[in-house]
Amino acid sequence: MAQASSVFGLWNTSPTRHTAVEDVQGVFSGSFVAALGLYFLASAGLLTGSTAGIAFLLHYAMGVNFGLTFFLLNLPFFYLSMKRLGRAFTLKTFIAIALTSVLTDMQSRLFEIGLIHPGWAALIGGLLLGYGLLALYRHRASLGGVGILGIYLQERFGIRAGLVQLAIDMVVLAAAFFVTTPAVVMWSVLGAVVLNLFVAINHRADRYIAL
């Protein structure tokens, strides 16, 4: 009984290793919360950074499906992930991206946000994305793109993943001036800052070492 409980992750006594069940719930819950954050941003017409930001730009400018575009944009980063971060990380990241893409598209069919101030949407969306990413990072997964690059640079050179993502996000959001209004861009910057500072403060490889 005790052995079965350990295998299924009900009473895992190892402080440095996740069970398969713990990884499943971590990847699913992280993807779910991240998708909810993306929906809050989209409900106010806001953007974020990384490949999700590029997917938002294409969605607003050309009307393409956000979930599918987000999934396709992440495909090239799987090569870096497989080469540098391993098969397990790549597989869990692929599943997380697929889940987040599907769940983001499902949100509007399940509930609707009638009215929300863009500043509030930026705060809630940024925090939810931060929580989602943190859950994925702690189970050795990510939402691909810059997240993969950020984790690689943190583990290889000690550069905080959140700060790497923040720098690249600013570039993506600067491009948003060409497809939306300055007010939308500024509120989107707030959301990106909230997201990346949350990750930078809470995700440290020397503090959380579970695999």
Side-chain angles (χ1 to χ4, degrees), residues 50-193:
S50 190
T51 48
I54 299 173
F56 269 132
L57 286 174
L58 294 174
H59 173 69
Y60 293 145
M62 305 172 61
V64 297
N65 179 274
F66 170 82
L68 179 60
T69 304
F70 174 63
F71 179 79
L72 293 176
L73 285 172
N74 279 291
L75 291 179
F77 289 93
F78 286 117
Y79 175 77
L80 173 63
S81 178
M82 183 67 76
K83 293 288 288 185
R84 298 295 184 180
L85 299 173
R87 182 177 299 176
F89 178 91
T90 303
L91 177 60
K92 285 186 281 189
T93 295
F94 181 87
I95 293 171
I97 291 170
L99 274 173
T100 302
S101 299
V102 172
L103 290 170
T104 301
D105 282 343
M106 287 177 56
Q107 300 294 334
S108 61
R109 304 173 189 176
L110 300 174
F111 76 102
E112 182 178 352
I113 300 175
L115 176 65
I116 186 170
H117 188 280
W120 195 240
L123 179 61
I124 295 175
L127 284 174
L128 287 172
L129 272 171
Y131 273 103
L133 281 173
L134 187 64
L136 293 172
Y137 287 170
R138 289 186 170 182
H139 287 270
R140 295 286 297 166
S142 80
L143 285 181
V146 177
I148 291 175
L149 180 62
I151 291 179
Y152 168 69
L153 291 176
Q154 175 167 297
E155 297 190 350
R156 181 67 176 83
F157 301 105
I159 304 171
R160 292 285 186 86
L163 296 180
V164 172
Q165 186 154 325
L166 178 60
I168 298 176
D169 286 356
M170 294 301 101
V171 175
V172 174
L173 290 170
F177 280 105
F178 295 98
V179 299
T180 188
T181 66
V184 167
V185 175
M186 297 312 297
W187 288 122
S188 299
V189 168
L190 171 63
V193 170

